[in-house]
Amino acid sequence: MLLNYFKIAFRYFRKNKLATIINLTGLTIGLSSCLLIAVYILHELSYDRFETKGNRIARVIMEYAFNGSKESKRGNYTSTKVAPTFKRVFPEVESAARMQQDVMVVNYQDKQFVEDRFMFADSSFFDLFSFGLAQGDARTALSGPGKVILTASTARKYFGGASPVGQLLKVGNFVQPFQVTGVMPDCPSNSQIKFDFLASFSSLGENQEDTYWDANYTTYLLLRTPGGIASLQSKLPAFMHKEMEGKGATVNFYLEPFQSIHLHSEYAGFEPNNDIAYIYILGAVALLILVIACFTYINLSTARSMERAREVGVRKVMGAGGRQLFWQFIGESLMMAGVSVFISLAVAELALPAFNQLTETELPPAAVFAPGVIGLLVASIVFIGLLAGIYPALVLSRFQPVKVLKGAFKNTDRGWWMRQSLIVFQFVISVFLIVSTVVVQKQLYYIQHRQLGYDREHVLVLPGDARMYDKLSLLKTEFGKTPGVSGLSATNNSPVNILGGYNMRTATMPEDQQIAVNANPIDEGYVRTTGLELVAGQDLTEQDVKNTALPDSLRVYQFLLNESAARELGWTPDKAVGQRMYLDATRPGFVKGVVRDFHFESLHNPIKPVVLFPEVRVRRWLIKLAPGDPQPVIAALSAKWKELVPYRPFDYHFLDDDYDRLYQSEIRLGKALDVFAGIAIALACLGLFGLSSYAAQQRVREVGIRKVLGASVSQIIVLLSRDFVRLAGIAFLLAAPIAWWVMHHWLQDFAYRTSLSVYVFLAAGLATLALTLATVSVKAVAAALSNPVKNLRTE
């Protein structure tokens, strides 16, 4: 019997080639898209799940505020005091590890590389995390300064096939070389802790246990039990209140469960976090794509039911029961779903490199065939087979042989309303995705083109270090006279992301009252190079920077405030100039100028106070290039760099790249929506094309009669298209408010955002109308231009 079902199904598919191709194509594209999204979502959800102690690990988040501050600051940073103190004081803490990631120049013989994944960690690192060593002893590999572990790929990069254990590497500005004490497998792609080098934390020489300030490190705690996180958290406020009593500030710490950081934390770690909301969005898009493909199958199956009415009638007369017929049609649906799944596996495998580029991930080909994915595919065959086949099977198996020749189902309201409803639902999905895609792209355009208060165009960013201090004047002179260079600055942070946490107060404020503020050490060229706008006072001079090197008793700072900082201190920009103030307790000085507010953080956040102060730091170089081709200027700078900084590779990027990194999740979402919304709309059009083809075929006789009676081509096209246009209009009216509500809430996450104008919805409505007309008109025009005599004779 099963073989008979297979033969019948195969004959039906072969006879109805257009419907079969449309259904197979729709299901394959839908399943391939869902498969790729599912692989990505499973990968994101699996982050850090391989950690055997993951449910007992917590990351420490610091919150602080100075007396007099209106708000507190919070972030993923702690001092070196937190880990040893918490381990000593709280019985819930079994172990703790401090970590810091940095960019280092590593030299071995004639090889020299800039390594941006150089991690420092306590020797207790292996007590917390499930990273094993292929070579070396985890108990001693990080116990003492000057020790480093390499990942397997890094070991091959520097040493080829030879064992690196015991070899010495020159690292950055460290005087003593680092000894390789171990080799470990490369970090998993689903780990938030990724590195190529793991060096001993004691190499930094930072082990202060007398202050909660100087918070430049990440601290992880290993609790004795999973419930220890909540227990410890309840004790921290009282403990920290006692610790900070009488110190003019409040400090508290919050614990984040390690395995929830990647998708649920607003504080990035050693790599940018993802957002669980975006996982939900992509999952919803995948589901909607699959629903569109299934609805296309249902629509075409029920629309063509009259073609199978005679087959059903004959089979019932021959003794076939309703249940037997039901499972025959379910079997056909399962067969279609099964073939689509197998084809989609091949398509997903071929599309995986492009998908990796789209989502900026490194999913291996084996991820498509992971057990979890295969399980989902098997479930998909059953789910799609039943979802897409159950209604057509119920309808076809219930035909009454006596009424078959009367076309009972074709003329019932139930069948007509079912098809209309499914078409409307497909259009609702399409309109919703069009609006969502347009709004996301509109916000990304807004981000890219908003006036930020500084100029990020044509600004080259180069790495700096402490070894450049001695030749700073020479470097500035040589770089500055390069043709095509219009400005340069040696500084700590670019204006894209100023992270430094300080406190400020006026001369009239009590010493125990401070206002938390971001601040950045700069030189005399910073304002000019970055295009910051002075609204009051003057820019810093070279002498202002030199004065900060004087003895403490003679040192006086000249500060630049942004408008928000001046306002926070109770001054207008003009009134602020010349006022005496303090940045921390160690930097007394006067306000020399006020710059217009600029976005030194993501547009998710409102502009806050910031202070720019003169001080020699060479963490990075900002070099402003004149408009035009940058490559000759970069080549000239590279030549001078090799001559003046031979110990460090010429490793550059543009300030634009730093800005774009602030919005990686949004850019990734925008790209994904572009692609998958396009796929969903294409599938909806594919289904619409199949239905319009069938509708035109069913009305061949009517079209022929109307043409004989004088109907024009345009009238025939309107006749065959108007029902679909009406359905598209109804779908737009249903989808518009849903899309507005969803995108309105998404935009609320941005402090600065684009508007949800009516033009977005009008554009989506017109696009839907245009797609509907373009799809339906293909067959409508063909029917309108057909020979009525031939049609009437053959019909």
Side-chain angles (χ1 to χ4, degrees):
M1 183 175 291
L2 290 177
L3 180 61
N4 187 46
Y5 286 167
F6 177 80
K7 288 180 179 179
I8 294 172
F10 181 75
R11 288 169 182 167
Y12 175 75
F13 293 152
R14 185 175 59 182
K15 178 182 177 183
N16 299 276
K17 292 184 177 63
L18 179 61
T20 301
I21 291 172
I22 289 174
N23 285 330
L24 192 61
T25 302
L27 288 174
T28 298
I29 294 175
L31 279 167
S32 301
S33 303
C34 292
L35 179 57
L36 290 171
I37 293 175
V39 169
Y40 173 75
I41 289 176
L42 289 174
H43 177 265
E44 293 297 299
L45 293 176
S46 72
Y47 250 71
D48 304 307
R49 298 296 169 182
F50 64 90
E51 295 285 358
T52 57
K53 303 175 185 177
N55 63 343
R56 294 195 286 133
I57 300 174
R59 185 175 72 172
V60 183
I61 299 298
M62 179 179 179
E63 181 182 63
Y64 67 94
F66 298 100
N67 294 348
S69 289
K70 296 179 182 178
E71 61 179 29
S72 60
K73 285 183 173 290
R74 185 186 289 194
N76 171 31
Y77 37 70
T78 63
S79 71
T80 55
K81 180 178 180 177
V82 173
T85 300
F86 283 19
K87 183 180 178 182
R88 183 178 64 253
V89 173
F90 298 107
E92 291 89 348
V93 180
E94 179 180 323
S95 187
R98 299 163 297 186
M99 300 175 66
Q100 184 188 52
Q101 191 173 49
D102 211 337
V103 179
M104 291 288 174
V105 177
V106 179
N107 293 271
Y108 177 72
Q109 296 180 353
D110 60 339
K111 296 178 180 178
Q112 182 186 69
F113 298 98
V114 176
E115 301 290 355
D116 58 0
R117 300 206 305 183
F118 199 102
M119 188 80 74
F120 294 90
D122 278 318
S123 58
S124 55
F125 174 85
F126 293 104
D127 295 337
L128 278 74
F129 302 106
S130 304
F131 292 91
L133 293 185
Q135 300 179 44
D137 186 349
R139 295 170 297 179
T140 60
L142 297 177
S143 58
K147 295 185 176 182
V148 65
I149 299 169
L150 310 184
T151 61
S153 59
T154 304
R156 288 192 298 271
K157 176 180 173 181
Y158 283 86
F159 300 98
S163 173
V165 176
Q167 298 296 323
L168 299 179
L169 298 173
K170 178 69 177 70
V171 177
N173 296 324
F174 288 93
V175 176
Q176 297 297 325
F178 279 64
Q179 182 182 36
V180 179
T181 55
V183 178
M184 60 187 297
D186 289 348
C187 299
S189 62
N190 60 343
S191 172
Q192 63 179 280
I193 299 176
K194 294 187 179 78
F195 51 82
D196 298 316
F197 297 80
L198 184 65
S200 53
F201 192 82
S202 56
S203 305
L204 295 171
E206 300 286 350
N207 199 29
Q208 300 181 50
E209 294 189 26
D210 59 348
T211 179
Y212 288 106
W213 304 113
D214 298 326
N216 300 306
Y217 311 96
T218 297
T219 297
Y220 294 97
L221 305 177
L222 176 64
L223 288 303
R224 298 188 186 279
T225 63
I229 295 179
S231 174
L232 177 57
Q233 183 66 73
S234 66
K235 297 179 179 181
L236 290 179
F239 174 77
M240 291 309 303
H241 177 75
K242 183 178 179 181
E243 288 279 284
M244 299 301 297
E245 193 169 5
K247 295 184 178 179
T250 60
V251 172
N252 199 9
F253 295 100
Y254 296 89
L255 305 180
E256 288 187 324
F258 178 70
Q259 292 179 329
S260 68
I261 291 173
H262 180 66
L263 292 178
H264 298 276
S265 177
E266 59 181 300
Y267 310 109
F270 299 117
E271 69 170 19
N273 290 337
N274 205 335
D275 191 328
I276 190 64
Y278 295 156
I279 298 299
Y280 291 147
I281 290 172
L282 284 178
V285 169
L287 183 61
L288 292 176
I289 288 175
L290 193 58
V291 166
I292 287 177
C294 290
F295 281 7
T296 295
Y297 184 89
I298 294 171
N299 258 341
L300 288 178
S301 297
T302 55
R304 306 183 75 89
S305 58
M306 281 308 300
E307 296 183 6
R308 307 200 69 176
R310 184 171 299 171
E311 173 195 341
V312 172
V314 171
R315 290 176 65 84
K316 280 198 168 186
V317 169
M318 298 296 292
R323 179 178 299 180
Q324 192 177 27
L325 290 169
F326 173 83
W327 286 111
Q328 174 193 330
F329 295 122
I330 286 291
E332 290 179 6
S333 183
L334 289 170
M335 179 179 171
M336 178 69 73
V339 173
S340 300
V341 163
F342 282 109
I343 297 176
S344 67
L345 273 172
V347 173
E349 186 79 8
L350 293 173
L352 189 61
F355 183 77
N356 279 336
Q357 187 175 6
L358 177 70
T359 57
E360 299 177 10
T361 53
E362 298 177 2
L363 299 173
V368 177
F369 299 96
V373 177
I374 296 300
L376 282 176
L377 288 177
V378 173
S380 296
I381 293 175
V382 177
F383 174 76
I384 294 169
L386 293 177
L387 177 66
I390 194 165
Y391 183 78
L394 286 171
V395 170
L396 292 170
S397 62
R398 289 178 179 176
F399 277 176
Q400 298 180 25
V402 177
K403 298 181 179 180
V404 162
L405 297 179
K406 298 179 181 180
F409 175 74
K410 181 181 177 181
N411 296 324
T412 61
D413 288 339
R414 183 179 61 179
W416 184 85
W417 277 108
M418 179 67 183
R419 289 194 296 277
Q420 305 293 296
S421 300
L422 295 182
I423 293 172
V424 168
F425 191 81
Q426 287 180 313
F427 275 124
V428 166
I429 295 174
S430 299
V431 173
F432 173 78
L433 290 175
I434 290 173
V435 171
S436 301
T437 303
V438 171
V439 172
V440 170
Q441 292 303 328
K442 196 165 179 273
Q443 177 64 16
L444 289 176
Y445 181 87
Y446 177 87
I447 289 171
Q448 293 292 334
H449 294 85
R450 178 176 169 81
Q451 292 298 319
L452 302 172
Y454 61 87
D455 184 6
R456 58 189 173 89
E457 301 290 334
H458 309 295
V459 178
L460 205 65
V461 182
L462 292 166
D465 56 51
R467 292 178 64 178
M468 298 180 182
Y469 288 168
D470 296 336
K471 56 174 69 175
L472 185 58
S473 179
L474 174 63
L475 289 170
K476 285 187 175 182
T477 301
E478 291 299 317
F479 292 160
K481 68 182 184 182
T482 303
V485 172
S486 60
L488 61 86
S489 172
T491 184
N492 195 44
N493 291 307
S494 76
V496 169
N497 201 14
I498 297 178
L499 300 172
Y502 295 77
N503 59 80
M504 65 178 180
R505 67 178 178 88
T506 66
T508 59
M509 292 171 62
E511 290 187 15
D512 64 347
Q513 288 193 6
Q514 307 280 347
I515 297 175
V517 66
N518 289 75
N520 188 34
I522 66 171
D523 65 4
E524 70 280 0
Y526 189 86
V527 171
R528 183 175 63 258
T529 301
T530 58
L532 295 176
E533 181 185 353
L534 276 166
V535 295
Q538 298 177 339
D539 193 4
L540 300 181
T541 65
E542 186 177 356
Q543 189 60 46
D544 293 329
V545 180
K546 291 180 178 179
N547 288 344
T548 61
L550 296 173
D552 291 350
S553 59
L554 301 175
R555 186 185 304 156
V556 177
Y557 281 79
Q558 301 295 324
F559 299 111
L560 298 180
L561 311 182
N562 71 341
E563 293 171 301
S564 294
R567 190 163 48 248
E568 188 77 11
L569 293 172
W571 302 322
T572 64
D574 291 327
K575 185 180 177 181
V577 177
Q579 296 286 348
R580 185 170 180 80
M581 65 170 288
Y582 296 85
L583 185 68
D584 291 344
T586 58
R587 295 183 178 88
F590 296 88
V591 178
K592 187 170 185 179
V594 177
V595 299
R596 192 173 300 283
D597 277 345
F598 62 96
H599 292 279
F600 62 90
E601 291 181 318
S602 161
L603 293 184
H604 286 281
N605 306 315
I607 295 176
K608 300 172 184 175
V610 68
V611 177
L612 306 175
F613 62 97
E615 209 164 84
V616 178
R617 302 282 179 90
V618 198
R619 187 178 179 186
R620 55 175 53 85
W621 289 87
L622 304 178
I623 301 179
K624 179 71 173 178
L625 307 183
D629 184 8
Q631 292 308 315
V633 188
I634 293 173
L637 287 170
S638 176
K640 290 186 177 181
W641 184 274
K642 291 177 182 177
E643 178 186 347
L644 300 171
V645 194
Y647 63 89
R648 187 174 195 120
F650 183 74
D651 185 35
Y652 73 91
H653 64 273
F654 284 94
L655 197 59
D656 268 339
D657 300 328
D658 289 338
Y659 182 73
D660 289 341
R661 270 192 287 273
L662 294 177
Y663 307 98
Q664 278 186 334
S665 294
E666 289 78 12
I667 293 172
R668 193 161 52 229
L669 175 66
K671 291 179 179 177
L673 272 182
D674 284 347
V675 172
F676 292 111
I679 289 174
I681 293 165
L683 289 178
C685 291
L686 187 66
L688 189 62
F689 176 78
L691 284 175
S692 62
S693 299
Y694 180 74
Q697 180 183 342
Q698 292 298 303
R699 302 180 75 171
V700 166
R701 183 179 299 172
E702 177 187 349
V703 169
I705 294 172
R706 287 179 179 273
K707 290 190 71 175
V708 169
L709 295 175
S712 64
V713 172
S714 59
Q715 288 174 324
I716 298 298
I717 293 174
V718 169
L719 172 70
L720 297 176
S721 305
R722 63 187 179 191
D723 286 342
F724 294 105
V725 172
R726 178 175 54 82
L727 294 175
I730 294 171
F732 174 77
L733 294 177
L734 293 174
I738 299 173
W740 180 90
W741 184 85
V742 171
M743 299 317 297
H744 172 75
H745 282 271
W746 180 75
L747 287 172
Q748 297 309 303
D749 193 40
F750 294 88
Y752 304 91
R753 51 187 175 266
T754 187
S755 60
L756 265 178
S757 64
V758 67
Y759 298 108
V760 171
F761 296 91
L762 289 177
L766 291 174
T768 305
L769 179 62
L771 287 170
T772 303
L773 287 173
T775 304
V776 173
S777 295
V778 174
K779 284 297 181 180
V781 170
L785 296 176
S786 61
N787 186 342
V789 176
K790 180 180 178 182
N791 289 340
L792 290 173
R793 183 174 64 249
T794 56
E795 288 289 318

